Coordinates of all heavy atoms in Angstrom, one line a residue:
T18 N 0.3 33.9 6.6 CA -0.2 34.3 7.9 C -1.6 35.0 7.8 O -2.3 35.1 8.8 CB 0.8 35.2 8.6 OG1 1.1 36.4 7.7 CG2 2.1 34.5 8.9
N19 N -1.9 35.5 6.6 CA -3.2 36.2 6.5 C -4.3 35.4 5.8 O -5.3 35.9 5.5 CB -3.0 37.5 5.7 CG -2.1 38.5 6.4 OD1 -2.2 38.6 7.7 ND2 -1.1 39.1 5.7
T20 N -4.0 34.1 5.4 CA -4.9 33.3 4.7 C -5.8 32.6 5.7 O -5.6 32.6 6.9 CB -4.2 32.3 3.9 OG1 -3.6 31.3 4.7 CG2 -3.2 32.9 2.9
S21 N -6.9 32.0 5.1 CA -7.9 31.2 5.9 C -7.5 29.7 5.9 O -8.3 28.9 6.1 CB -9.3 31.4 5.4 OG -9.3 31.0 4.0
F22 N -6.2 29.4 5.6 CA -5.8 28.0 5.6 C -6.0 27.4 6.9 O -5.4 27.8 7.9 CB -4.3 28.0 5.2 CG -3.8 26.6 5.0 CD1 -3.7 26.0 3.7 CD2 -3.3 25.9 6.1 CE1 -3.2 24.8 3.6 CE2 -2.8 24.6 5.9 CZ -2.7 24.0 4.7
V23 N -6.9 26.3 6.9 CA -7.2 25.6 8.2 C -7.0 24.1 7.9 O -7.6 23.6 7.0 CB -8.6 25.9 8.7 CG1 -8.9 25.1 9.9 CG2 -8.7 27.4 9.0
N24 N -6.2 23.4 8.7 CA -6.0 22.0 8.5 C -6.0 21.3 9.9 O -4.9 21.4 10.5 CB -4.8 21.7 7.7 CG -4.6 20.2 7.3 OD1 -5.4 19.4 7.8 ND2 -3.7 19.9 6.5
A25 N -7.1 20.7 10.2 CA -7.1 20.0 11.5 C -6.8 18.6 11.4 O -7.2 17.8 12.2 CB -8.5 20.3 12.2
N26 N -6.2 18.2 10.3 CA -6.0 16.7 10.1 C -4.5 16.4 9.9 O -4.1 15.7 9.0 CB -6.8 16.3 8.8 CG -8.3 16.5 9.0 OD1 -8.9 15.6 9.5 ND2 -8.8 17.6 8.6
D27 N -3.7 16.9 10.8 CA -2.3 16.5 10.9 C -1.5 16.7 9.6 O -0.7 15.9 9.2 CB -2.2 15.0 11.3 CG -2.8 14.7 12.6 OD1 -2.8 15.6 13.5 OD2 -3.4 13.6 12.8
G28 N -1.8 17.8 8.9 CA -1.1 18.1 7.7 C -1.6 17.5 6.4 O -1.0 17.8 5.3
D29 N -2.6 16.6 6.4 CA -3.1 16.0 5.2 C -3.9 17.1 4.4 O -4.8 17.8 5.0 CB -4.0 14.8 5.5 CG -3.2 13.7 6.1 OD1 -2.0 13.6 5.8 OD2 -3.8 12.9 6.8
I30 N -3.6 17.1 3.1 CA -4.3 18.1 2.3 C -5.6 17.5 1.8 O -6.6 18.2 1.7 CB -3.4 18.4 1.1 CG1 -2.2 19.1 1.5 CG2 -4.2 19.3 0.1 CD1 -1.1 19.3 0.5
V31 N -5.7 16.2 1.6 CA -6.9 15.5 1.2 C -7.2 14.4 2.2 O -6.3 13.6 2.5 CB -6.7 14.8 -0.2 CG1 -7.9 13.9 -0.5 CG2 -6.5 15.9 -1.3
V32 N -8.4 14.5 2.8 CA -8.8 13.5 3.8 C -10.1 12.8 3.3 O -11.2 13.4 3.3 CB -9.0 14.2 5.2 CG1 -9.5 13.2 6.2 CG2 -7.8 14.9 5.6
Y33 N -10.0 11.6 3.0 CA -11.1 10.8 2.6 C -12.0 10.3 3.8 O -11.4 10.2 4.9 CB -10.7 9.5 1.8 CG -10.3 9.8 0.4 CD1 -9.0 10.1 0.0 CD2 -11.3 9.7 -0.6 CE1 -8.7 10.3 -1.3 CE2 -10.9 9.9 -2.0 CZ -9.6 10.2 -2.3 OH -9.3 10.5 -3.6
T34 N -13.2 10.1 3.6 CA -14.1 9.5 4.6 C -13.7 8.1 4.7 O -13.0 7.5 3.9 CB -15.6 9.6 4.2 OG1 -15.8 8.9 3.0 CG2 -16.0 11.1 4.1
D35 N -14.2 7.4 5.8 CA -13.9 6.0 6.1 C -14.9 5.1 5.5 O -15.2 4.0 6.1 CB -13.8 5.8 7.6 CG -12.4 6.2 8.2 OD1 -11.4 6.1 7.4 OD2 -12.3 6.6 9.3
D36 N -15.5 5.5 4.4 CA -16.5 4.6 3.8 C -15.8 3.3 3.3 O -14.6 3.3 2.9 CB -17.1 5.3 2.6 CG -18.0 6.4 3.0 OD1 -18.5 6.4 4.1 OD2 -18.1 7.4 2.2
I37 N -16.5 2.2 3.4 CA -16.0 0.9 3.0 C -16.4 0.6 1.6 O -17.6 0.7 1.2 CB -16.5 -0.2 4.0 CG1 -15.8 0.0 5.4 CG2 -16.2 -1.6 3.4 CD1 -16.3 -1.0 6.4
Y38 N -15.5 0.1 0.8 CA -15.7 -0.3 -0.6 C -15.5 -1.8 -0.8 O -14.5 -2.3 -0.3 CB -14.8 0.5 -1.5 CG -14.9 2.0 -1.3 CD1 -13.9 2.7 -0.6 CD2 -16.0 2.7 -1.7 CE1 -14.0 4.0 -0.4 CE2 -16.1 4.1 -1.4 CZ -15.1 4.7 -0.8 OH -15.2 6.1 -0.5
G39 N -16.4 -2.4 -1.4 CA -16.4 -3.9 -1.5 C -17.4 -4.5 -0.6 O -18.1 -3.7 0.1
P40 N -17.5 -5.8 -0.5 CA -16.7 -6.8 -1.2 C -17.0 -6.8 -2.7 O -18.1 -6.4 -3.1 CB -17.0 -8.1 -0.5 CG -18.4 -7.9 0.0 CD -18.5 -6.4 0.4
F41 N -16.2 -7.5 -3.5 CA -16.4 -7.6 -4.9 C -16.5 -9.1 -5.2 O -15.7 -9.9 -4.8 CB -15.2 -7.0 -5.7 CG -14.9 -5.6 -5.3 CD1 -13.9 -5.3 -4.3 CD2 -15.6 -4.6 -5.9 CE1 -13.7 -4.0 -3.9 CE2 -15.3 -3.3 -5.5 CZ -14.4 -3.0 -4.6
Y42 N -17.6 -9.4 -6.0 CA -17.9 -10.8 -6.3 C -17.7 -11.1 -7.7 O -17.9 -10.3 -8.6 CB -19.3 -11.1 -5.9 CG -19.6 -10.9 -4.4 CD1 -20.3 -9.8 -3.9 CD2 -19.1 -11.9 -3.5 CE1 -20.5 -9.7 -2.6 CE2 -19.4 -11.7 -2.1 CZ -20.1 -10.6 -1.7 OH -20.3 -10.5 -0.3
K43 N -17.3 -12.3 -8.0 CA -17.1 -12.7 -9.4 C -18.5 -13.2 -9.9 O -19.0 -14.2 -9.5 CB -16.1 -13.9 -9.5 CG -16.0 -14.4 -10.9 CD -14.8 -15.4 -11.0 CE -14.8 -16.0 -12.4 NZ -14.5 -14.9 -13.5
G44 N -19.1 -12.4 -10.8 CA -20.4 -12.7 -11.3 C -20.4 -13.2 -12.7 O -19.4 -13.8 -13.1
D45 N -21.4 -13.0 -13.5 CA -21.5 -13.5 -14.8 C -21.0 -12.4 -15.9 O -21.2 -12.6 -17.1 CB -23.0 -13.8 -15.2 CG -23.9 -12.7 -15.0 OD1 -23.4 -11.5 -14.7 OD2 -25.1 -12.9 -15.1
G46 N -20.4 -11.4 -15.4 CA -19.9 -10.3 -16.3 C -20.8 -9.1 -16.4 O -20.4 -8.1 -17.0
S47 N -22.0 -9.3 -15.9 CA -23.0 -8.2 -16.1 C -23.1 -7.3 -14.8 O -23.8 -6.3 -14.8 CB -24.3 -8.7 -16.5 OG -24.9 -9.5 -15.5
D48 N -22.5 -7.8 -13.7 CA -22.6 -7.1 -12.4 C -21.9 -5.8 -12.5 O -20.8 -5.7 -13.0 CB -22.1 -7.9 -11.3 CG -22.9 -9.2 -11.1 OD1 -24.0 -9.3 -11.5 OD2 -22.3 -10.2 -10.5
R49 N -22.5 -4.7 -11.9 CA -21.8 -3.4 -11.9 C -21.6 -3.0 -10.5 O -22.4 -3.3 -9.6 CB -22.7 -2.4 -12.6 CG -23.1 -2.8 -14.0 CD -21.9 -2.8 -15.0 NE -21.3 -1.6 -15.2 CZ -20.2 -1.4 -16.0 NH1 -19.7 -2.4 -16.6 NH2 -19.7 -0.2 -16.1
Y50 N -20.5 -2.3 -10.2 CA -20.3 -1.8 -8.9 C -19.9 -0.3 -9.0 O -19.1 0.0 -9.9 CB -19.1 -2.6 -8.2 CG -18.9 -2.2 -6.8 CD1 -19.4 -3.0 -5.8 CD2 -18.1 -1.1 -6.4 CE1 -19.2 -2.6 -4.4 CE2 -17.9 -0.7 -5.1 CZ -18.5 -1.5 -4.1 OH -18.3 -1.2 -2.8
T51 N -20.4 0.5 -8.2 CA -20.1 2.0 -8.2 C -19.3 2.4 -7.0 O -19.8 2.2 -5.9 CB -21.4 2.8 -8.3 OG1 -22.2 2.4 -9.5 CG2 -21.1 4.3 -8.4
L52 N -18.1 2.9 -7.3 CA -17.4 3.5 -6.2 C -17.8 5.0 -6.1 O -17.8 5.7 -7.0 CB -15.9 3.5 -6.6 CG -15.1 2.2 -6.6 CD1 -13.7 2.3 -7.1 CD2 -15.1 1.6 -5.1
K53 N -18.2 5.3 -4.9 CA -18.6 6.7 -4.6 C -17.6 7.2 -3.5 O -17.7 6.8 -2.4 CB -20.0 6.8 -4.1 CG -20.5 8.3 -3.9 CD -22.0 8.3 -3.4 CE -22.4 9.7 -3.2 NZ -23.9 9.8 -2.8
L54 N -16.7 8.1 -3.9 CA -15.6 8.5 -3.1 C -15.7 9.9 -2.7 O -16.0 10.8 -3.5 CB -14.2 8.3 -3.8 CG -14.1 6.8 -4.3 CD1 -14.1 6.8 -5.8 CD2 -12.8 6.2 -3.8
T55 N -15.6 10.2 -1.4 CA -15.8 11.5 -0.8 C -14.6 11.9 0.0 O -14.1 11.1 0.8 CB -17.0 11.6 0.1 OG1 -18.2 11.2 -0.7 CG2 -17.2 13.0 0.7
Y56 N -14.1 13.1 -0.2 CA -13.0 13.6 0.6 C -13.2 15.1 0.9 O -13.9 15.8 0.2 CB -11.6 13.4 -0.2 CG -11.4 14.2 -1.4 CD1 -10.9 15.5 -1.3 CD2 -11.8 13.8 -2.7 CE1 -10.7 16.3 -2.5 CE2 -11.6 14.5 -3.8 CZ -11.1 15.8 -3.7 OH -10.9 16.5 -4.9
T57 N -12.4 15.6 1.9 CA -12.4 17.0 2.2 C -11.0 17.6 1.8 O -10.0 16.9 2.1 CB -12.7 17.3 3.7 OG1 -14.0 16.7 4.0 CG2 -12.7 18.8 4.0
Y58 N -11.0 18.7 1.2 CA -9.7 19.4 0.8 C -9.3 20.4 1.8 O -10.2 21.2 2.2 CB -9.9 20.0 -0.6 CG -8.7 20.9 -1.0 CD1 -7.5 20.4 -1.3 CD2 -8.9 22.3 -1.1 CE1 -6.4 21.2 -1.6 CE2 -7.8 23.1 -1.4 CZ -6.6 22.5 -1.7 OH -5.5 23.4 -2.0
Y59 N -8.1 20.4 2.2 CA -7.6 21.4 3.1 C -6.4 22.1 2.5 O -5.3 21.5 2.3 CB -7.1 20.8 4.5 CG -8.3 20.2 5.2 CD1 -8.6 18.8 5.1 CD2 -9.1 21.0 6.0 CE1 -9.6 18.3 5.8 CE2 -10.2 20.4 6.8 CZ -10.4 19.0 6.6 OH -11.5 18.5 7.3
G60 N -6.5 23.3 2.0 CA -5.4 24.0 1.4 C -5.9 25.3 0.8 O -7.0 25.7 0.9
N61 N -5.0 25.9 0.0 CA -5.3 27.2 -0.6 C -6.1 26.9 -1.9 O -6.1 25.8 -2.5 CB -4.1 27.9 -1.0 CG -3.4 28.4 0.3 OD1 -3.8 29.4 0.9 ND2 -2.3 27.8 0.7
H62 N -6.8 27.9 -2.3 CA -7.7 27.8 -3.5 C -6.9 27.3 -4.7 O -5.9 27.9 -5.1 CB -8.4 29.1 -3.8 CG -9.4 29.0 -4.8 ND1 -9.7 30.0 -5.7 CD2 -10.3 28.0 -5.2 CE1 -10.7 29.7 -6.5 NE2 -11.0 28.4 -6.3
I63 N -7.4 26.3 -5.4 CA -6.8 25.8 -6.6 C -7.8 26.0 -7.7 O -9.0 25.5 -7.6 CB -6.3 24.4 -6.5 CG1 -5.2 24.3 -5.5 CG2 -5.9 23.8 -7.9 CD1 -4.8 22.8 -5.2
L64 N -7.4 26.6 -8.8 CA -8.4 26.9 -9.9 C -8.8 25.7 -10.7 O -9.9 25.5 -11.1 CB -7.8 28.0 -10.8 CG -7.7 29.4 -10.2 CD1 -7.0 30.3 -11.2 CD2 -9.1 29.9 -9.8
E65 N -7.7 24.8 -11.0 CA -8.0 23.7 -11.8 C -7.4 22.4 -11.2 O -6.2 22.3 -11.0 CB -7.4 23.9 -13.2 CG -8.0 25.0 -14.0 CD -7.5 25.1 -15.5 OE1 -6.4 24.5 -15.7 OE2 -8.2 25.6 -16.3
A66 N -8.3 21.5 -11.0 CA -7.9 20.2 -10.4 C -8.9 19.1 -10.9 O -9.9 19.4 -11.5 CB -8.0 20.3 -8.8
R67 N -8.5 17.9 -10.7 CA -9.3 16.7 -11.1 C -8.9 15.5 -10.3 O -7.8 15.5 -9.7 CB -9.2 16.5 -12.6 CG -7.9 15.9 -13.0 CD -7.8 15.4 -14.5 NE -8.9 15.7 -15.3 CZ -8.7 16.1 -16.6 NH1 -7.5 16.2 -17.1 NH2 -9.7 16.4 -17.4

Side-chain angles (χ1 to χ4, degrees):
T18 56
N19 296 321
T20 67
S21 60
F22 185 96
V23 177
N24 187 353
N26 294 278
D27 301 325
D29 291 333
I30 297 169
V31 172
V32 178
Y33 280 91
T34 59
D35 277 329
D36 293 333
I37 290 178
Y38 307 105
F41 305 95
Y42 298 104
K43 180 174 175 58
D45 59 5
S47 62
D48 297 339
R49 308 294 295 180
Y50 188 97
T51 299
L52 290 172
K53 184 177 181 181
L54 306 113
T55 299
Y56 68 89
T57 302
Y58 169 71
Y59 296 96
N61 292 286
H62 186 213
I63 295 176
L64 293 175
E65 293 187 342
R67 68 168 18 134

